[in-house]
Amino acid sequence: MATDILFYVLAALTLIFGALVVANPFSRNPVTSAMFLVLTIISMAGLFVLLHAFFLAAVQVLVYAGAVMVLFLFVIMLLDLKEEERRKIKLTGLVAGVVSVGAIVAIFVRSLLATKPSENLPAPTAVGDTATLGKMLFTNYLLPFEIVSILLLVAMVGVILLSKKDLK
Amino acid sequence: MTPLAGYLILSAMLFAIGLAGALTRRNAIIVLIGIELMLNAANLNFIAFWRFSEHPEALTGILFVIFSIGVAAAEAAVGLALIISIYRHYKTTNVDEVNLLKG
């Protein structure tokens, strides 16, 4: 089926780009990592489209690939990170990280395969359309919506204070 | 493999990749990028569970992911500002060298 093939292609792309974000054999430059994060996020937006969450796919590209990545790139270019490229990865840290991550993947995948989720669920029908979403956001979920807006305001003020040269 | 299991396994692997980045890399910016990957994996889980749930018309998964993206954006901004002020103080972004509070 076409959606199955699309799912496997997008999943493979997401995993490959995600792996290149954290461990790129060709370049240790943080800018390369940030660029591969953009590709990861765009292929994840494709997965969201496959799951019929069209509005979220757009939001994912706008907010992550647009706003957050610009922030990351600005900070990377603001700081002089030449020495980071030469630094070697510590062997103990690498081994500990790989072992713990492998253990977590084994636990996740084993428990997922043991429980076999959604084996007898009906095929999905409903679609998350944007009009209903907006209505929900301004009626049932108005309080969390306002709390998030205040959180963003507080974060903005905090960021400006934190990155000022000298606090008075 | 059922479709939901496929999405859950993919999100588990993506979470593991982000965790590996946060644990093994020593550059604070890459650590933050790893955290973003983990948040994205959690978001994918929300959407997959919403899509294959019994009442997808409630839209709870999508709404939760919208709030999660907002919180993640605030978190990234604050984290990067902290990295900037740490860099001003220590002239490095290596998380191993910022150890003033270490006993």
Side-chain angles (χ1 to χ4, degrees):
Chain A
M1 234 165 84
T3 49
D4 280 349
I5 297 165
L6 257 180
F7 167 71
Y8 285 116
V9 169
L10 285 170
L13 280 179
T14 309
L15 287 178
I16 291 167
F17 290 144
L20 283 174
V21 168
V22 295
N24 194 330
F26 307 110
S27 155
R28 305 286 308 279
N29 196 335
V31 178
T32 328
S33 289
M35 284 305 159
F36 276 114
L37 183 62
V38 172
L39 291 177
T40 314
I41 279 160
I42 288 174
S43 38
M44 280 198 69
L47 283 172
F48 285 179
V49 170
L50 268 190
L51 285 167
H52 289 243
F54 305 114
F55 178 67
L56 265 187
V59 165
Q60 173 96 347
V61 171
L62 276 178
V63 175
Y64 269 112
V68 173
M69 285 324 298
V70 168
L71 212 61
F72 270 103
L73 285 177
F74 253 112
V75 172
I76 290 170
M77 288 167 183
L78 217 65
L79 310 180
D80 180 34
L81 297 174
K82 282 280 181 294
E83 28 129 21
E84 303 291 334
E85 290 181 48
R86 292 195 295 272
R87 186 171 283 124
K88 279 184 182 168
I89 291 180
K90 272 190 202 156
L91 194 68
T92 47
L94 193 69
V95 170
V98 167
V99 167
S100 52
V101 164
I104 281 187
V105 171
I107 290 171
F108 278 164
V109 172
R110 263 199 72 97
S111 57
L112 279 176
L113 291 180
T115 47
K116 289 194 179 54
S118 85
E119 205 161 49
N120 42 15
L121 274 181
T125 48
V127 172
D129 65 313
T130 315
T132 332
L133 199 66
K135 228 170 267 163
M136 297 278 273
L137 213 51
F138 283 98
T139 52
N140 286 5
Y141 295 87
L142 187 60
L143 181 64
F145 183 73
E146 297 293 342
I147 290 174
V148 166
S149 72
I150 289 180
L151 175 79
L152 284 171
L153 176 70
V154 169
M156 193 171 73
V157 174
V159 164
I160 293 170
L161 262 178
L162 270 175
S163 50
K164 259 177 93 126
K165 260 236 152 70
D166 47 339
L167 300 170
K168 281 191 186 123
Chain B
M1 190 160 61
T2 56
L4 178 58
Y7 281 105
L8 295 185
I9 288 171
L10 169 66
S11 122
M13 284 173 160
L14 202 64
F15 185 89
I17 289 172
L19 188 64
L23 287 180
T24 57
R25 298 296 295 264
R26 304 271 49 100
N27 185 345
I29 294 175
I30 310 280
V31 172
L32 257 188
I33 287 180
I35 291 170
E36 292 293 324
L37 273 182
M38 288 195 270
L39 276 166
N40 261 304
N43 287 351
L44 184 63
N45 249 0
F46 274 125
I47 303 288
F49 276 127
W50 162 75
R51 179 75 183 136
F52 296 101
S53 66
E54 305 226 327
H55 300 287
E57 68 279 356
L59 295 180
T60 37
I62 288 189
L63 284 158
F64 216 114
V65 171
I66 288 176
F67 294 136
S68 155
I69 286 177
V71 172
E75 171 259 349
V78 174
L80 287 169
L82 282 174
I83 290 175
I84 287 179
S85 59
I86 286 171
Y87 183 79
R88 231 175 241 146
H89 203 88
Y90 290 94
K91 297 284 170 238
T92 182
T93 55
N94 187 329
V95 287
D96 279 342
E97 287 172 26
V98 186
N99 52 7
L100 198 65
L101 278 179
K102 202 169 164 187

